[in-house]
Amino acid sequence: MGRYTRRQIAVAIILTIITIISIGMIEHLNSNQRAFIRDRIQDEARGDLSHIRAQLEAAILSDIYVLSSLTTLVSLSPNNDLSSWKEVARRIKRKSRHIKVIGLAPDDVVRFIYPLQGNEKVLGLDYRTVPKQWASIDRAREIENIFISGPVSLVQGGQALIVRIPIFTDPPNNKHYWGVCSAVISMDTLFLDAGVELFSFRYNIAIKGVDSTGNYGEIFYGDEQTFNDAFATETVHFPYGSWYIAASQKQDVLNQMPWNHRDLVRIMGYLVLATILLAFYAVYRLYQMADARALHDELTGLPNRRYFMFSLESLFNEQAKEPDSISLFAILNIDIDKFKAINDRYGHAAGDKVLVACAQRIKGALRSSDLVARIGGDEFLALLPRFNQSEEVETICVKVREAISQTPVVYKQHLIEVKASVGFVRYRDDFQSVEEMLHLADQRMYAEKREK
């Protein structure tokens, strides 16, 4: 239990208590009423299973994303100059919670392995001499895409996935095959973080799809009966292939009670259950409303200044600890030009519509990993993590300007032309605080505004 967060434990306890109380009350209801309540509980479980599916996809794709820096290094080093290999591998493993071992195999022979300790015997291994491993590598090269094999049992205990990334030195033509990058992903930490273990406390869960074969593959978690009795299923999608997940109800304890015990307090049990569910729903809705108001802008739905500053400070502190990181971050300060004139001419309702439209356009112009927030009035801030070239930031600035001004905002019979000024700043080691970065981005935004 020590590996669970306090929030996970609290959620598990609350859900378990609610489930126990609900089952106890359901025991006093007739069959139709029991079926109705059971369906409601299973609806919630379907949502939980969908969340698990999304968490598994996000965790695996996140690990693959950090591996991309290594494959890029190889593809850009045609002379096999991999002197920085160890440092890159060390950073990748540190940034990923699930990656345990990373290997490079030019011409499908393992020449680089990290960490080396405990894996010395792997060096020099020709994958073509190991049929089980060669099958997945050959498949990755054939499809020219990432292939996830396993799970496989580890010598030191536990299970792991093996990610195979084929490397070509002439992307996107992919005519010159260099070799393969392999990574071992721990199933234990992956399933823990995705919530599989917590979910299994209340429901049966099973997963099939060894070697990314989806619904047609072998079962590697749970048993076949779960699929036969499933009330919910989900598909975990990979860059190539998938897993198939099913959930079923644990043993039904409702029929273990004598019928007269259920009937004696049927009405009272129904009323108590309804009261508990309504009270829980009311508290949950109040929490959602309070949380949304505390961290999001009510008009645009974007994160507010408090949310943004928390994210920015976390990223700033992380970057300060790793000054030699191969990826940096940047801040954009975006201000709507002549917004006061729009309010004065068309009214505040029109101004609100312009702000909502601009929020949507800015968000659409950014990458999925970027964060945009409205910090007040007509000012927006965007946080751009993980970029390697300065030109990437300048390109995003151009996209934001064009997205905002490309089409007018329609308000009643009016077409309102909108433009914006954008100032940006990239992280440097000499910045002492986030306020210093924000001040510089603000200055550059106003400098651009004055030039118009």
Side-chain angles (χ1 to χ4, degrees), residues 191-328:
F191 278 18
L192 179 66
D193 289 354
V196 174
E197 293 187 19
L198 284 174
F199 188 85
S200 67
F201 291 162
R202 296 179 293 127
Y203 302 94
N204 297 317
I205 182 170
I207 309 176
K208 63 169 62 174
V210 173
D211 292 338
S212 304
T213 50
N215 191 26
Y216 302 99
E218 297 177 8
I219 298 172
F220 60 87
Y221 190 96
D223 54 47
E224 183 65 36
Q225 192 60 41
T226 299
F227 288 95
N228 297 334
D229 301 336
F231 61 79
T233 60
E234 290 283 342
T235 300
V236 179
H237 295 283
F238 301 139
Y240 184 89
S242 62
W243 286 346
Y244 192 66
I245 307 180
S248 68
Q249 191 73 47
K250 285 186 179 289
Q251 183 180 6
D252 190 354
V253 299
L254 303 179
N255 296 321
Q256 297 178 6
M257 297 291 292
W259 67 270
N260 57 319
H261 288 186
R262 296 194 297 268
D263 292 343
L264 284 175
V265 289
R266 179 184 303 165
I267 297 176
M268 181 168 53
Y270 181 83
L271 293 174
V272 172
L273 176 60
T275 302
I276 291 173
L277 293 177
L278 287 173
F280 177 78
Y281 179 76
V283 172
Y284 179 72
R285 288 296 299 160
L286 288 172
Y287 169 79
Q288 282 187 317
M289 293 170 61
D291 183 66
R293 290 177 178 175
L295 298 175
H296 289 80
D297 174 55
E298 291 187 7
L299 176 63
T300 62
L302 294 178
N304 59 16
R305 184 180 185 87
R306 179 183 176 190
Y307 189 127
F308 183 89
M309 291 302 296
F310 176 83
S311 302
L312 174 58
E313 289 173 355
S314 298
L315 191 56
F316 185 93
N317 293 333
E318 180 181 348
Q319 195 75 60
K321 292 178 182 178
E322 297 181 12
D324 58 341
S325 175
I326 59 176
S327 62
L328 301 175

Side-chain angles (χ1 to χ4, degrees), residues 330 332 384 387 389-401 422 424 426:
L332 306 188
L384 280 56
F387 71 90
Q389 302 294 331
S390 301
E391 291 76 10
E392 293 179 44
V393 182
E394 296 171 358
T395 299
I396 292 174
C397 289
V398 172
K399 288 179 62 178
V400 169
R401 294 189 194 95
V422 181
F424 71 92
R426 295 180 292 269

